[in-house]
Amino acid sequence: MQRLLPDPGPTDIDAELADYRPFDNPLDDRPYVAVNMVSTIDGRASLGGRTVDLGTDRDIELLLKLRRRFDAVMIGAGTMRAERYGRIIKDPDARARRERIGLPHDPLAVLVSGRLDLPFDAPLFTDGGGRVLIFTNQEGPFPETATPTRFETVQGPIRITEVLRHLRQERGIRALLSEGGPHVFGQIAAARAFDDLFLTTTSVMTGEPDEPRLLEGGLPEPMDLRLVRLLEEDGELFARYCLRR
Ligand SMILES: NC(=O)c1ccc[n+]([C@@H]2O[C@H](COP(=O)([O-])OP(=O)(O)OC[C@H]3O[C@@H](n4cnc5c(N)ncnc54)[C@H](OP(=O)(O)O)[C@@H]3O)[C@@H](O)[C@H]2O)c1
């Protein structure tokens, strides 16, 4: 793997993330937020309805190693339905290393589902390890799950900024990684409620109009991001952008 920006030269994911400590920089009204996405050249966010065939093993490595640095991971309901998540950090050594740098053993998995249309038979809920918090418009009774799961019923529209405020102020979350799909990303971006965007661009074009775009829902105005890092391997590009303030 090559780093193209800054300081061109050979590198790897561990070296690139060594000094990345998002949990040191929470805001008052929300956690430090990073968004991780993968896209085709033509800006599509899935292939055959899923992301698993989009990125390479290196992209998965980046995602798994990013997860180790956050108090919470946000997943939209559409992503949960498509990807059927398991425990966020499966490797016990990685969980132990989190504790050594002052992070909770497991990240809190945060789901947003107005309709509460979630696959409660997916391993995230049946594994028993980790913790889940779901923001929904539905009232109880809620399904019983082996993994400890809390439900936050929201009256009226679920606003992503209110979710983030709740996570920061009521749950003490300092850093959140969004793995939500294009609709969750659209809401976070429209609210300018993120700090970093990790964007992997594959060397594939789908030309498939039914696959979701990278960002759905639109933005109130064009948004200018600053490219702070760019890596390359086998034609795949790994960019880190920061939101200009
Ligand atoms: N390329 C990538 O990096 C990437 C990343 C993640 C996912 N994906 C792909 O994206 C596709 C899914 O796209 P998506 O946009 O549907 O996923 P999403 O953004 O993860 O989920 C959207 C769903 O989440 C719930 N939701 C989100 N915000 C809400 C709010 N404010 N209030 C109430 N409910 C809210 C709704 O579910 P309810 O209907 O349950 O209310 C909504 O239908 C899948 O194919 C997945 O594989 C790609």
Side-chain angles (χ1 to χ4, degrees):
M1 165 172 254
Q2 297 293 318
R3 184 171 55 239
L4 307 179
L5 272 176
D7 309 323
T11 188
D12 59 31
I13 299 289
D14 288 325
E16 292 299 319
L17 293 181
D19 298 328
Y20 187 59
R21 292 171 59 93
F23 46 90
D24 283 340
N25 296 299
L27 285 72
D28 290 340
D29 61 350
R30 66 164 172 84
Y32 190 98
V33 173
V35 174
N36 185 67
M37 299 291 290
V38 55
S39 171
T40 62
I41 291 175
D42 53 329
R44 299 290 163 176
S46 66
L47 203 56
R50 299 193 60 198
T51 47
V52 71
D53 295 327
L54 264 191
T56 57
D57 290 350
R58 194 67 70 214
D59 181 52
I60 301 288
E61 181 189 349
L62 173 62
L63 174 69
L64 296 182
K65 289 183 172 169
L66 273 174
R67 284 180 180 177
R68 298 178 182 179
R69 293 168 183 276
F70 289 83
D71 294 311
V73 170
M74 179 178 278
I75 310 158
T79 302
M80 185 64 200
R81 289 190 281 266
E83 311 292 344
R84 295 180 59 85
Y85 273 59
R87 188 169 182 168
I88 302 291
I89 297 193
K90 297 186 177 60
D91 176 2
D93 291 340
R95 294 198 293 264
R97 277 199 299 278
R98 285 171 57 85
E99 288 190 308
R100 288 202 288 278
I101 59 169
L103 285 164
H105 196 244
D106 283 276
L108 178 66
V110 179
L111 286 117
V112 186
S113 178
R115 296 181 297 139
L116 202 58
D117 175 16
L118 293 169
F120 285 102
D121 59 344
L124 182 70
F125 298 111
T126 59
D127 178 278
R131 299 165 299 140
V132 181
L133 174 62
I134 303 177
F135 291 84
T136 182
N137 288 129
Q138 305 304 310
E139 310 270 358
F142 298 115
E144 302 251 332
T145 60
T147 306
T149 301
R150 296 184 67 150
F151 296 85
E152 262 313 308
T153 299
V154 177
Q155 307 294 341
I158 303 175
R159 299 192 199 287
I160 214 78
T161 47
E162 287 308 313
V163 168
L164 293 172
R165 186 192 309 277
H166 176 102
L167 291 170
R168 177 74 199 109
Q169 296 178 349
E170 309 291 327
R171 310 269 169 184
I173 299 296
R174 297 163 299 172
L176 175 136
L177 177 66
S178 174
E179 299 182 16
H183 285 93
V184 164
F185 180 34
Q187 294 167 65
I188 290 176
R192 298 183 70 85
F194 70 100
D195 300 283
D196 296 330
L197 168 63
F198 289 86
L199 176 63
T200 299
T201 306
T202 69
S203 51
V204 173
M205 293 202 285
T206 71
E208 174 51 73
D210 293 336
E211 305 284 1
R213 291 174 299 184
L214 184 65
L215 184 153
E216 295 284 356
L219 297 176
E221 56 187 28
M223 186 172 279
D224 192 13
L225 305 183
R226 186 163 56 92
L227 178 64
V228 292
R229 237 154 232 274
L230 184 62
L231 317 177
E232 184 275 340
E233 187 176 70
D234 294 335
E236 194 170 41
L237 293 172
F238 303 86
R240 176 178 161 200
Y241 295 92
C242 291
L243 187 59
R244 284 183 196 275
R245 302 203 173 276

